[in-house]
Amino acid sequence: MPVNDENIDRYCEEHTTRPHERLVAVARETHEQLDAPQMLTGTVEGRFLEMLVWASGARRVLEIGTFSGYSALAMAAALPDDGRIVTCEISERHAEFARRHIGASPYAEKIDVRLGPALSTIAGLEGPLDLVFIDADKTGYSAYFDAVLPLLAPRGLIVIDNTLWSGRVLEPEPDDESSQALAALNDRLAADERVVVVQLPVRDGVTLVRRA
């Protein structure tokens, strides 16, 4: 079931600043060339991520799950001149697609696409990280959270996507591993005294996490 009414979603998109030209091209080609184009971040969440980077003054950003590169490009637009994004992608096809669009953008020097398991990439990183965006395999979310929390800057922010999972987290089916994993993570975060959490009904659910 949809999290939000389609008319409300459309209204929000119509009243959000249009994405820049490169993001329009990424969105179009994602739908034309890649499987599961519904994974695209899109206008509203793209601007939301950009706004978080801008408001927080983030310089060092980690993204787990590049897909077609839309969200990395959206966030890069708000980075300061010395800001950088490391984005992790397990699919060679997706990484190649993202690198092509990133290379044609004004932000090519700010985005580093790392191909391979995200946990391996994270193990080679040093903190502090100012913002972490988690949007990859849902069953891996808990492990990603555990891996990045020690690297998070004192005023850093973890942004976790799809935490409502089209409402399926309300009553997860026993054979739905993603719903089960997300519901368990939501419960775990809400009870974790190390962090402060807010879950928002943006797109398919976005959870913001900071240190307590």
Side-chain angles (χ1 to χ4, degrees), residues 107-201:
Y107 312 114
E109 299 301 316
K110 294 185 175 184
I111 304 173
D112 178 10
V113 180
R114 304 278 184 93
L115 180 63
L119 290 175
S120 298
T121 297
I122 295 167
L125 297 178
E126 295 183 358
L129 299 173
D130 301 310
L131 189 143
V132 179
F133 180 45
I134 301 176
D135 184 19
D137 56 302
K138 311 314 167 192
T139 56
Y141 272 23
S142 186
Y144 299 144
F145 173 78
D146 288 336
V148 300
L149 185 61
L151 301 177
L152 194 65
R155 295 186 61 83
L157 193 63
I158 300 174
V159 185
I160 309 175
D161 201 17
N162 303 117
T163 52
L164 292 178
W165 205 229
S166 299
R168 293 192 291 274
V169 293
L170 298 179
E171 296 182 5
E173 296 291 335
D175 59 347
D176 185 346
E177 292 185 359
S178 293
S179 296
Q180 293 279 353
L182 288 168
L185 176 67
N186 291 339
D187 290 343
R188 176 190 171 194
L189 292 177
D192 192 333
E193 296 183 353
R194 299 173 300 169
V195 295
V196 176
V197 177
V198 58
Q199 189 169 47
L200 304 171

Side-chain angles (χ1 to χ4, degrees), residues 26-169:
V26 172
R28 182 182 65 250
E29 292 188 25
T30 297
H31 282 87
E32 292 172 351
Q33 300 178 21
L34 297 183
D35 296 331
Q38 71 275 9
M39 295 197 309
L40 187 75
T41 301
T43 299
V44 174
E45 191 173 357
R47 284 293 182 190
F48 181 66
L49 291 169
E50 178 191 351
M51 197 74 74
L52 290 176
V53 171
W54 179 86
S56 66
R59 293 176 53 254
R60 299 191 66 203
V61 175
L62 171 66
E63 176 180 55
I64 302 174
T66 311
F67 189 41
S68 60
Y70 190 104
S71 47
L73 285 165
M75 290 188 287
L79 285 174
D81 290 342
D82 62 345
R84 297 292 182 270
I85 295 173
V86 171
T87 179
C88 308
E89 179 54 53
I90 193 68
S91 164
E92 187 171 348
R93 184 184 182 196
H94 293 166
E96 181 181 352
F97 183 100
R99 283 173 174 151
R100 176 165 57 84
H101 282 283
I102 290 166
S105 78
Y107 312 114
E109 299 301 316
K110 294 185 175 184
I111 304 173
D112 178 10
V113 180
R114 304 278 184 93
L115 180 63
L119 290 175
S120 298
T121 297
I122 295 167
L125 297 178
E126 295 183 358
L129 299 173
D130 301 310
L131 189 143
V132 179
F133 180 45
I134 301 176
D135 184 19
D137 56 302
K138 311 314 167 192
T139 56
Y141 272 23
S142 186
Y144 299 144
F145 173 78
D146 288 336
V148 300
L149 185 61
L151 301 177
L152 194 65
R155 295 186 61 83
L157 193 63
I158 300 174
V159 185
I160 309 175
D161 201 17
N162 303 117
T163 52
L164 292 178
W165 205 229
S166 299
R168 293 192 291 274
V169 293

